[in-house]
Amino acid sequence: MRAASPRPKDEAPSRALRVFGSILAPTTVLTALLFFFGTRHALFFCEWFGVHYSVLGLTASDYLIRSADGMFVPLTVLAAAGLGVLWGYRFLQSALTPRTWRVLTRRAVPVLVSLGSAFVLAGLAGLAAPGLFRAVAGLPGVFVALGVVLFPVAEHLHTSLSGRRATGVVPVVQWTLTFVLASIGLFWAVNDYSAAVGEVRGYEYETKLRTMPETVVFSTKDLGIRAPDVTSTLCTAPDSAYRFRYDGLVLVLQSGGQSFLLPKGWNRGDGVALVLPRSGDVRLEFSPVGAQRDRTC
């Protein structure tokens, strides 16, 4: 008696992944994505204080570091969710009897198709009405990515029951487009989340201003800093290299030859942010929180 030939292995997903990976594999592409996410984080962080991020001259390293703040949670959730689904799939497949597994698979196919359609429509609704899911940053993009992935998963389960698999270039193209659309959804989600995190970090910074280390600014000329909790002192000592001293400021960041400072009493209602160029006419002095500092020039 002739042995039955083994079922042909579906290589379309792996081939499509190789095609798609060849596009994203170059380091320059991944670096550009990280740079973009970091830019969005910096934009909304600085915008919270009324400062446009471009005037600070942030470096590529600054943007890449900030991108990690906006990508840590999405990547962690994505990896944990994917691993959970994979473990659940393998556990059920091994724990259930073949008959029960076939029944479960048959019932799961229409459910997955319905969920995929609902998720994609919800994501598109978020695109048409951005304020619809404003409470949860990145949710529309997650909906699109998840919905797009559920369709080929449902197809895979269906073909595993029927034993008939499509061959040729069509499955590869289908999976490639699936990876593209899912990546767009994830890109959209991380983009929105990075912007939201930047704004949240700005709010957190504002709430901690009074407890942060103080920065004293010395200047050869009057900088005209007039803000709540900022005191200006005229240095009258004849041998003083700097004539003006300003207390009550906090250094937010320094990059590109610019120093971004805020008064300790800053608020969004009438607060003013300061961006000072690094030069020999200005000196910054730092000390730990609670340190006893000499207030004279």
Side-chain angles (χ1 to χ4, degrees), residues 100-288:
T100 305
W101 174 253
R102 286 194 299 270
V103 173
L104 179 63
T105 302
R106 187 176 296 109
R107 294 179 177 177
V109 170
V111 173
L112 292 175
V113 172
S114 300
L115 285 176
S117 302
F119 283 145
V120 171
L121 290 176
L124 295 178
L127 179 63
L132 189 61
F133 300 106
R134 185 174 179 83
V136 183
L139 193 58
V142 172
F143 280 157
V144 170
L146 183 58
V148 168
V149 169
L150 288 180
F151 292 123
V153 171
E155 183 188 23
H156 172 74
L157 294 178
H158 177 70
T159 54
S160 67
L161 292 174
S162 63
R164 293 177 295 180
R165 299 181 185 279
T167 58
V169 71
V170 174
V172 178
V173 173
Q174 174 183 314
W175 276 98
T176 301
L177 294 177
T178 298
F179 289 136
V180 169
L181 291 175
S183 298
I184 290 175
L186 293 176
F187 180 90
W188 177 11
V190 176
N191 175 61
D192 288 350
Y193 184 80
S194 296
V197 169
E199 192 172 77
V200 169
R201 294 293 181 261
Y203 169 75
E204 292 176 350
Y205 214 97
E206 178 187 354
T207 60
K208 297 177 181 178
L209 278 174
R210 294 189 179 277
T211 61
M212 298 183 70
E214 184 176 325
T215 301
V216 179
V217 177
F218 293 90
S219 175
T220 59
K221 301 178 181 179
D222 185 7
L223 299 177
I225 302 177
R226 307 292 185 267
D229 296 333
V230 175
T231 58
S232 175
T233 304
L234 179 63
C235 301
T236 57
D239 58 343
S240 176
Y242 300 92
R243 296 188 58 212
F244 297 90
R245 171 187 175 134
Y246 301 91
D247 295 272
L249 294 167
V250 173
L251 179 66
V252 180
L253 59 88
Q254 188 175 70
S255 181
Q258 306 282 352
S259 298
F260 175 20
L261 301 105
L262 290 172
K264 278 185 171 289
W266 188 92
N267 63 81
R268 285 176 62 85
D270 57 359
V272 176
L274 306 173
V275 178
L276 301 179
R278 188 184 303 175
S279 69
D281 295 332
V282 176
R283 178 170 69 90
L284 304 183
E285 185 179 282
F286 309 95
S287 62

